[in-house]
Short mmCIF file of all heavy atoms in Angstrom, two decimals:
data_model
loop_
_atom_site.label_atom_id
_atom_site.label_comp_id
_atom_site.label_asym_id
_atom_site.label_seq_id
_atom_site.Cartn_x
_atom_site.Cartn_y
_atom_site.Cartn_z
N HIS A 23 -3.63 3.49 -1.54
CA HIS A 23 -3.87 2.63 -2.72
C HIS A 23 -3.18 1.28 -2.45
O HIS A 23 -2.01 1.21 -2.06
CB HIS A 23 -3.17 3.21 -3.97
CG HIS A 23 -3.76 4.55 -4.34
ND1 HIS A 23 -4.92 4.69 -5.03
CD2 HIS A 23 -3.29 5.78 -4.20
CE1 HIS A 23 -5.16 5.96 -5.23
NE2 HIS A 23 -4.22 6.67 -4.70
N CYS A 40 7.46 2.76 -8.14
CA CYS A 40 6.73 3.26 -9.29
C CYS A 40 5.55 4.09 -8.89
O CYS A 40 5.33 5.24 -9.34
CB CYS A 40 6.28 2.06 -10.12
SG CYS A 40 5.88 2.49 -11.83
N GLY A 47 6.34 12.36 -7.29
CA GLY A 47 7.33 12.85 -8.20
C GLY A 47 8.69 12.08 -8.03
O GLY A 47 8.88 11.30 -7.19
N LEU A 58 15.15 5.32 -11.50
CA LEU A 58 13.81 5.68 -11.77
C LEU A 58 13.15 4.49 -12.56
O LEU A 58 13.77 3.89 -13.40
CB LEU A 58 13.66 6.92 -12.66
CG LEU A 58 13.86 8.25 -11.85
CD1 LEU A 58 13.94 9.42 -12.86
CD2 LEU A 58 12.82 8.48 -10.83
N PRO A 59 11.89 4.19 -12.24
CA PRO A 59 11.19 3.09 -12.97
C PRO A 59 11.10 3.47 -14.47
O PRO A 59 11.16 4.62 -14.88
CB PRO A 59 9.81 3.09 -12.33
CG PRO A 59 9.94 3.76 -10.98
CD PRO A 59 11.04 4.73 -11.18
N MET A 67 1.40 2.12 -13.98
CA MET A 67 1.10 2.49 -12.56
C MET A 67 0.12 3.71 -12.48
O MET A 67 -0.80 3.71 -11.73
CB MET A 67 2.30 2.69 -11.75
CG MET A 67 2.03 3.03 -10.31
SD MET A 67 1.13 1.76 -9.39
CE MET A 67 2.37 0.47 -9.27
N LYS A 68 0.38 4.68 -13.40
CA LYS A 68 -0.46 5.86 -13.43
C LYS A 68 -1.92 5.44 -13.72
O LYS A 68 -2.85 5.92 -13.14
CB LYS A 68 0.04 6.85 -14.42
CG LYS A 68 -0.73 8.20 -14.48
CD LYS A 68 -0.10 9.12 -15.50
CE LYS A 68 -0.87 10.42 -15.59
NZ LYS A 68 -2.23 10.37 -15.86
N LYS A 70 -3.29 2.50 -13.22
CA LYS A 70 -3.79 1.80 -12.07
C LYS A 70 -4.21 2.71 -10.95
O LYS A 70 -5.27 2.56 -10.37
CB LYS A 70 -2.73 0.79 -11.58
CG LYS A 70 -3.14 -0.12 -10.41
CD LYS A 70 -2.08 -1.11 -10.09
CE LYS A 70 -2.63 -1.97 -8.97
NZ LYS A 70 -1.73 -3.17 -8.83
N SER A 74 -7.93 3.45 -9.38
CA SER A 74 -8.14 3.30 -7.95
C SER A 74 -8.78 4.52 -7.34
O SER A 74 -9.70 4.49 -6.52
CB SER A 74 -6.80 2.99 -7.26
OG SER A 74 -7.00 3.00 -5.88
N LYS A 78 -13.79 4.24 -5.99
CA LYS A 78 -14.65 4.31 -4.81
C LYS A 78 -15.52 5.58 -4.69
O LYS A 78 -16.11 5.87 -3.67
CB LYS A 78 -13.77 4.07 -3.57
CG LYS A 78 -13.14 2.75 -3.55
CD LYS A 78 -12.33 2.52 -2.34
CE LYS A 78 -11.77 1.09 -2.38
NZ LYS A 78 -10.78 0.77 -1.44
N LYS A 91 -28.59 3.07 -1.76
CA LYS A 91 -29.62 2.44 -0.84
C LYS A 91 -30.51 3.51 -0.33
O LYS A 91 -31.74 3.28 -0.06
CB LYS A 91 -28.96 1.74 0.28
CG LYS A 91 -28.26 0.42 -0.15
CD LYS A 91 -27.71 -0.28 1.13
CE LYS A 91 -27.01 -1.55 0.65
NZ LYS A 91 -26.33 -2.19 1.80
N THR A 94 -29.17 9.09 -1.96
CA THR A 94 -28.67 10.37 -1.47
C THR A 94 -27.14 10.37 -1.61
O THR A 94 -26.50 9.36 -1.91
CB THR A 94 -28.94 10.61 -0.04
OG1 THR A 94 -28.40 9.58 0.79
CG2 THR A 94 -30.48 10.72 0.26
N ALA A 97 -21.38 11.93 2.73
CA ALA A 97 -20.11 12.61 2.91
C ALA A 97 -19.39 11.93 4.06
O ALA A 97 -20.00 11.56 5.06
CB ALA A 97 -20.36 14.13 3.28
N ILE A 99 -15.06 11.55 5.89
CA ILE A 99 -13.65 11.92 5.91
C ILE A 99 -12.89 11.06 6.80
O ILE A 99 -13.43 10.49 7.73
CB ILE A 99 -13.58 13.43 6.39
CG1 ILE A 99 -12.20 14.03 6.16
CG2 ILE A 99 -14.00 13.56 7.87
CD1 ILE A 99 -12.10 15.49 6.39
N TYR A 110 -25.88 12.21 5.28
CA TYR A 110 -26.44 12.00 3.95
C TYR A 110 -27.00 13.32 3.53
O TYR A 110 -27.53 14.15 4.28
CB TYR A 110 -27.56 10.95 4.08
CG TYR A 110 -27.09 9.65 4.51
CD1 TYR A 110 -27.35 9.26 5.84
CD2 TYR A 110 -26.46 8.78 3.72
CE1 TYR A 110 -26.90 8.00 6.32
CE2 TYR A 110 -26.01 7.52 4.10
CZ TYR A 110 -26.20 7.13 5.45
OH TYR A 110 -25.82 5.95 5.84
N ALA A 124 -15.44 19.84 7.79
CA ALA A 124 -14.80 18.85 8.72
C ALA A 124 -13.29 18.93 8.56
O ALA A 124 -12.55 18.87 9.47
CB ALA A 124 -15.30 17.45 8.40
N SER A 128 -10.28 20.23 11.40
CA SER A 128 -9.19 19.27 11.86
C SER A 128 -7.85 20.00 11.85
O SER A 128 -6.88 19.40 12.30
CB SER A 128 -9.08 18.12 10.92
OG SER A 128 -8.53 18.43 9.65
N LEU A 139 -9.25 20.65 -0.25
CA LEU A 139 -10.56 21.25 -0.26
C LEU A 139 -11.22 21.21 -1.61
O LEU A 139 -10.63 21.30 -2.64
CB LEU A 139 -10.43 22.77 0.15
CG LEU A 139 -10.13 23.13 1.57
CD1 LEU A 139 -9.85 24.58 1.80
CD2 LEU A 139 -11.29 22.70 2.48
N PRO A 142 -12.11 26.06 -1.83
CA PRO A 142 -11.30 26.93 -1.04
C PRO A 142 -11.95 28.34 -0.89
O PRO A 142 -12.52 28.82 -1.86
CB PRO A 142 -9.96 26.97 -1.78
CG PRO A 142 -10.06 25.89 -2.78
CD PRO A 142 -11.42 25.61 -3.04
N PHE A 166 4.53 25.74 1.88
CA PHE A 166 3.78 25.81 0.68
C PHE A 166 3.73 24.55 -0.15
O PHE A 166 4.79 23.82 -0.16
CB PHE A 166 4.30 26.91 -0.26
CG PHE A 166 4.26 28.29 0.36
CD1 PHE A 166 5.50 28.87 0.85
CD2 PHE A 166 3.12 28.98 0.45
CE1 PHE A 166 5.50 30.15 1.34
CE2 PHE A 166 3.14 30.28 1.03
CZ PHE A 166 4.29 30.87 1.51
N GLY A 168 4.11 22.40 -3.46
CA GLY A 168 4.92 22.56 -4.64
C GLY A 168 6.28 23.20 -4.44
O GLY A 168 7.00 23.54 -5.34
N MET A 189 14.63 27.35 -9.33
CA MET A 189 15.22 27.48 -7.96
C MET A 189 15.00 28.96 -7.58
O MET A 189 15.20 29.87 -8.39
CB MET A 189 16.62 27.08 -7.98
CG MET A 189 16.92 25.65 -8.50
SD MET A 189 16.05 24.40 -7.49
CE MET A 189 17.10 24.45 -5.98
#
Side-chain angles (χ1 to χ4, degrees):
H23 298 282
C40 201
L58 283 173
M67 182 58 72
K68 183 179 181 305
K70 182 175 184 167
S74 173
K78 295 183 180 169
K91 289 182 182 177
T94 59
I99 191 168
Y110 299 101
S128 71
L139 286 171
F166 300 105
M189 303 300 288

